[in-house]
Amino acid sequence: GSLVGQAANGSSITNVYTTVSMTATTSANPIYAGGLVGYVSGGITIANAYATGALSVTGTNSTSGGGLVGSINGSGSIANAYTTGTVIATGSTGSVYAGGLVGDASGANITGAYAMGSASGNTSGNDAFVGGLVGRIDPGGTITNAYATGSVTGSAAYFAYSGGLVGRANNGSSITNAYATGVVSGTHAGGLVGYRVSGANLTASFWDTATTGRSVAIGGGTTTESGTPSRMMESRRFHATNPTRASSPAGPRSTSAP
């Protein structure tokens, strides 16, 4: 990360920002790169933070890139944060995880966050998990009051899970009061979530059918259970459900849609 490589064991990172663009490359396994922090574990709190630089990460067997954090493993939280830079993650033999805010989030609680840059993940060896906000969210992870507006592109040897907000939402994760507007492409491509595993909960969340280029919210997996988001059929409905933007360390942001 441009600020911290690895953060662990209950520490806090608050009221910080970075405007640095960075490139990370390794032939070792794995690699975690984030605009602010590379790897988070052990209940870390990140609050009132933003990153505006572009990120490019290239690895071999497992590659994670996020506009703010590359990977979160275990409990942790991100609150009142945003990113605006592009994220590109490239792998040669394994899976890649790319997100406008976080590449891979396991057990993390994300609230009051947004990402405006594009996210792209491609691998010639396995699967790609790419989301406008988070590439993959795992059991115990939550996303609340959040949105993403950047384009999402996934390319993989096997499956490319691409979602306007989240690439893949696994069992035990939840998404509440969120939306996505960026154009989405991939093997499993959804306006909101690329692939939803049964037991992943979606509530009061929406996508723009026109700008995402997707007629469905969820590209694959469980698509018909209760809680599946409805289309944003009217702009006034869309604006009425916008979550409040995160406040940056520099002061409050506008609550209007971008």
Side-chain angles (χ1 to χ4, degrees):
S2 65
L3 182 69
V4 178
Q6 179 175 353
N9 301 325
S11 57
S12 297
I13 300 171
T14 60
N15 299 319
V16 294
Y17 71 93
T18 176
T19 60
V20 175
S21 293
M22 63 177 290
T23 300
T25 304
T26 184
S27 58
N29 172 47
I31 181 170
Y32 311 104
L36 193 72
V37 182
Y39 183 81
V40 166
S41 64
I44 300 302
T45 298
I46 299 174
N48 301 328
Y50 68 89
T52 61
L55 172 71
S56 177
V57 54
T58 303
T60 53
N61 195 29
S62 182
T63 304
S64 297
L68 195 76
V69 177
S71 180
I72 300 175
N73 184 12
S75 61
S77 65
I78 296 176
N80 299 327
Y82 73 90
T83 61
T84 61
T86 60
V87 174
I88 300 173
T90 306
S92 58
T93 62
S95 294
V96 298
Y97 308 86
L101 191 80
V102 179
D104 190 21
S106 176
N109 298 312
I110 299 170
T111 183
Y114 66 91
M116 299 179 70
S118 62
S120 174
N122 65 84
T123 175
S124 55
N126 209 316
D127 299 329
F129 304 81
V130 191
L133 193 77
V134 176
R136 182 179 71 174
I137 185 166
D138 287 324
T142 64
I143 296 173
T144 308
N145 298 338
Y147 67 87
T149 62
S151 63
V152 175
T153 305
S155 175
Y158 296 104
F159 297 106
Y161 305 107
S162 303
L165 191 80
V166 174
R168 178 174 172 130
N170 282 333
N171 177 39
S173 64
S174 67
I175 299 169
T176 305
N177 196 32
Y179 71 86
T181 63
V183 63
V184 181
S185 63
T187 308
H188 293 294
L192 192 68
V193 176
Y195 192 94
R196 177 193 180 198
V197 177
S198 178
N201 297 312
L202 284 78
T203 305
S205 296
F206 307 89
W207 83 106
D208 191 320
T209 55
T211 60
T212 63
R214 293 293 155 182
S215 61
V216 296
I218 302 167
T222 302
T223 61
T224 58
E225 289 183 2
S226 60
T228 300
S230 301
R231 298 183 190 180
M232 294 183 304
M233 300 302 292
E234 300 176 296
S235 61
R236 66 174 180 270
R237 180 182 179 190
F238 174 71
H239 290 295
T241 56
N242 281 353
T244 303
R245 280 194 177 187
S247 296
S248 73
R253 306 278 294 184
S254 168
T255 57
S256 62

